[in-house]
Amino acid sequence: MGLLEQVAPNLVDVLRRDAWWMGWNTFLAWIPVLLACLLFRGQRVSRSPFWWAGLTLFVLFLPNAPYVVTDLVHLRGDILMADRGGPVVTAILPVYAVLIGSGFLAYYLALSAALRHLARVGLGDWQGRVALAAHALCAIGIFLGRWARLNSWEPVVDPHATLERIFVHLTWTWAPVLILATFLVTWTCHFMTKAIAEASFKATLKSARHLHTTLTS
């Protein structure tokens, strides 16, 4: 029996068990990318109220992208349901790696679009501070999403109850520690994703230029 025939049934089991919540969280993670494509196209700061409303949605949904790293809480349960060590390495871990990689790729793309827009409108000096602010915002958002079970749309549809829940959880004794840890994880994973994505882009561009040179010579 080939490796694919051994892995396929285990992979199907994992996807059947986790497809719904993984698919939903991946969908939420890529909403900021869609919003970024719509928002960050101009050459100047927009004064449209619709643009600023879209920016508010972008800020609210941005933490959904790095939030996927907290889905590792489900990993232990999937490992316990595995029959032996093989499915963990060949099926469960790759699925979680794709999930988390997809989320941080979405985060990198969305944040990069926002930072490039700052440069286009003459605010390039703010890029570093905005990036750090985004990581901090996402750390708080991830904390509220995982521990307060707060959804991105709740501040809009139920602001009063949302503010109460935010206050209660942010005043929890362990909140600063968890938020700081989440910030460090978010910053580190974004740094790694950025390095891999930009290196891959440069390698692809170099290969494309080499192929173009070969075909035209």
Side-chain angles (χ1 to χ4, degrees):
M1 182 180 295
L3 177 61
L4 181 60
E5 293 177 330
Q6 293 178 337
V7 172
N10 300 315
L11 188 60
V12 170
D13 286 341
V14 176
L15 293 176
R16 184 187 298 117
R17 188 165 57 243
D18 299 332
W20 164 246
W21 67 263
M22 284 187 173
W24 176 247
N25 285 355
T26 300
F27 169 74
L28 292 177
W30 282 84
I31 288 179
V33 180
L34 174 61
L35 292 173
C37 291
L38 296 174
L39 290 169
F40 306 126
R41 296 182 298 176
Q43 301 294 326
R44 59 185 179 84
V45 178
S46 176
R47 296 182 180 180
S48 167
F50 296 103
W51 188 89
W52 287 99
L55 181 63
T56 301
L57 288 177
F58 175 79
V59 171
L60 289 175
F61 276 89
L62 185 60
N64 286 310
Y67 176 87
V68 294
V69 74
T70 68
D71 287 326
L72 287 172
V73 298
H74 302 287
L75 179 60
R76 182 174 180 272
D78 279 330
I79 291 176
L80 291 176
M81 296 184 71
D83 295 329
R84 56 192 182 278
V88 174
V89 176
T90 58
I92 295 176
L93 293 183
V95 169
Y96 276 84
V98 170
L99 172 68
I100 295 172
S102 173
F104 275 97
L105 177 60
Y107 182 53
Y108 161 72
L109 293 174
L111 184 55
S112 294
L115 297 179
R116 287 195 301 271
H117 183 69
L118 284 176
R120 286 198 300 271
V121 299
L123 298 174
D125 292 341
W126 284 79
Q127 287 181 320
R129 282 167 282 186
V130 169
L132 285 176
H135 298 334
L137 168 72
C138 287
I140 296 172
I142 293 168
F143 168 77
L144 293 173
R146 175 55 65 185
W147 281 274
R149 308 306 299 167
L150 190 68
N151 293 309
S152 298
W153 51 87
E154 289 186 65
V156 177
V157 300
D158 193 3
H160 184 266
T162 299
L163 287 174
E164 288 184 348
R165 290 167 62 188
I166 290 175
F167 177 79
V168 169
H169 283 83
L170 290 182
T171 54
W172 179 38
T173 304
W174 286 98
V177 176
L178 292 172
I179 291 173
L180 177 59
T182 305
F183 173 86
L184 293 175
V185 171
T186 301
W187 180 86
T188 301
C189 290
H190 174 264
F191 177 82
M192 294 173 61
T193 304
K194 179 181 179 181
I196 294 171
E198 293 183 355
S200 299
F201 175 76
K202 289 179 181 179
T204 302
L205 185 62
K206 183 178 180 180
S207 299
R209 288 175 176 172
H210 177 72
L211 179 62
H212 176 74
T213 303
T214 303
L215 292 175
T216 55
S217 60

